[in-house]
Amino acid sequence: MRIVRYHEFGPSSVLRIEEADVPRPGPGDVLVRVEAIGVDQADVQRRRGEHPVSAPVLPACPAADVVGVVEAAGAEVPDGHLGTRVVVWKAQNAYADHVIAPVDRIMPLPDGLDPAGATVLGSTGRVAMQIVDTGRLRAGESVLVHGAAGAVGHMALQIAKALGAKPVIATASSAGKLEFARSLGADVCVDYGRPDWAERVREAVDGPGVDVILDGVGGDLLHDDVALLAPYGRLVFYGASGSPTARPVLPFLDVLGMKYVTGFSMATLLRHRPDLAESGTRRLLGLVADGSVRPVVAARVPLAEAARAHDLVESRASRGRVVLVP
């Protein structure tokens, strides 16, 4: 089978397509024939050696959300999985024709879902659902979604809308991305590259500030976020796509106005509250099934052109998710 690896950190050109044996599942694993692979900013950051939390051991193949069909199963896997189309949450060695996954990291998919779009139901969609839940969003509250045209952002925007947020304020870095966010239901769209972006957000809310802010961009935006929060408002910081090496510091005095700031980690949630992750996933599937939330595929790129997929993500020009297709 084919697999994409990199043997050094650097630009997308370090990605190489190689040949490898089809892996064999262990007792509690399944073998999945891959149909689609989600590509994220974290993949790019790790390839560059700039991920703010973890660095891979070289040589490395990215871990990613994968959709495919179960072709084999280990002796301890319950019956009924063979031939099932599933999404794998963060499959290891994911840029390949086949992947191995523990059976507890797969989820059967409803019929009729496009495999490329369904990759969003892995970690990306789960993160979107959980950051909204972590922000304790209630119907009628205002929400600000940074990076609203990205893989997580475009899902979080739609989830917030479906749960009754008003207004839903989207930020992005270009007119095209803002129009994309508007097409998904954003009530107000703001270019966060403008010097007056925070003032425009403040004008859009009826009250002293924003109730919930979801920030996966990070950097200096975090300081403005805290200033924009209403009393009892909640800021959920879940990534640093805009500045992966930055370490912003929030002065403690900035949160004295009854403002709440929390970080989000899916790995931590799964480790300590897997029940919340499971219930959130079920709710997300329901929102997708009834059409309230629509995963958007920005581009489908052949596996052999993984470098081009990384370039698309790295350029921050894509709207929705970039997907590799074997």
Side-chain angles (χ1 to χ4, degrees):
M1 72 170 191
R2 298 169 302 166
I3 186 169
V4 175
R5 295 190 180 105
Y6 52 99
H7 296 252
E8 59 184 320
F9 299 121
S12 63
S13 58
V14 301
L15 295 172
R16 306 177 188 174
I17 191 156
E18 301 174 354
E19 289 295 322
D21 293 333
V22 175
R24 300 178 65 178
D29 299 333
V30 295
L31 173 68
V32 177
R33 174 174 50 81
V34 175
E35 296 180 320
I37 306 155
V39 181
D40 293 328
Q41 278 285 349
D43 302 349
V44 171
Q45 292 171 353
R46 289 190 177 95
R47 187 209 74 222
R48 290 162 52 177
E50 296 178 350
H51 192 269
V53 176
S54 61
V57 176
L58 298 175
C61 174
D65 299 329
V66 165
V67 167
V69 176
V70 176
E71 286 195 337
E76 298 176 6
V77 175
D79 294 338
H81 289 289
L82 291 180
T84 302
R85 178 170 283 110
V86 298
V87 59
V88 183
W89 179 74
K90 284 299 179 186
Q92 299 300 307
N93 299 312
Y95 287 22
D97 290 312
H98 290 83
V99 300
I100 293 291
V103 70
D104 60 0
R105 291 177 77 98
I106 68 173
M107 179 176 65
L109 291 173
D111 293 337
L113 287 183
D114 167 44
T119 62
V120 175
L121 298 176
S123 63
T124 301
R126 291 183 184 188
V127 167
M129 188 80 239
Q130 293 299 335
I131 58 175
V132 172
D133 284 351
T134 300
R136 300 181 181 180
L137 178 68
R138 297 184 293 268
E141 288 189 317
S142 57
V143 62
L144 168 61
V145 181
H146 282 306
V152 173
H154 90 284
M155 294 289 287
L157 182 164
Q158 295 179 79
I159 292 167
K161 188 78 173 182
L163 297 181
K166 190 172 180 65
V168 176
I169 305 165
T171 73
S173 58
S174 71
K177 288 184 177 182
L178 294 174
E179 184 56 39
F180 173 66
R182 189 173 290 109
S183 74
L184 296 178
D187 300 301
V188 178
C189 295
V190 178
D191 182 345
Y192 60 64
R194 292 174 50 132
D196 64 342
W197 77 267
E199 185 57 35
R200 293 189 62 199
V201 170
R202 196 178 299 280
E203 292 170 355
V205 295
D206 182 18
V210 182
D211 295 308
V212 177
I213 299 177
L214 309 176
D215 191 343
V217 178
D220 292 337
L221 285 183
L222 287 171
H223 297 280
D224 292 317
D225 289 344
V226 174
L228 284 169
L229 280 175
Y232 300 97
R234 289 84 70 194
L235 164 62
V236 182
F237 171 61
Y238 67 94
S241 64
S243 51
T245 58
R247 295 291 186 272
V249 176
L250 293 177
F252 183 73
L253 291 177
D254 288 358
V255 300
L256 285 183
M258 299 303 294
K259 300 179 179 186
Y260 297 84
V261 178
T262 186
F264 175 81
S265 162
M266 193 67 184
T268 301
L269 183 75
L270 288 169
R271 187 179 306 116
H272 297 284
R273 291 300 305 271
D275 57 314
L276 293 181
E278 182 178 351
S279 64
T281 300
R282 288 198 301 268
R283 289 164 54 222
L284 174 63
L285 279 172
L287 292 172
V288 172
D290 70 16
S292 299
V293 173
R294 176 173 60 91
V296 176
V297 176
R300 302 166 194 254
V301 181
L303 178 65
E305 300 176 27
R308 180 162 69 87
H310 271 224
D311 289 341
L312 285 171
V313 172
E314 199 164 4
S315 71
R316 301 181 62 81
S318 58
R319 305 165 195 174
R321 168 158 258 191
V322 175
V323 177
L324 286 172
V325 181

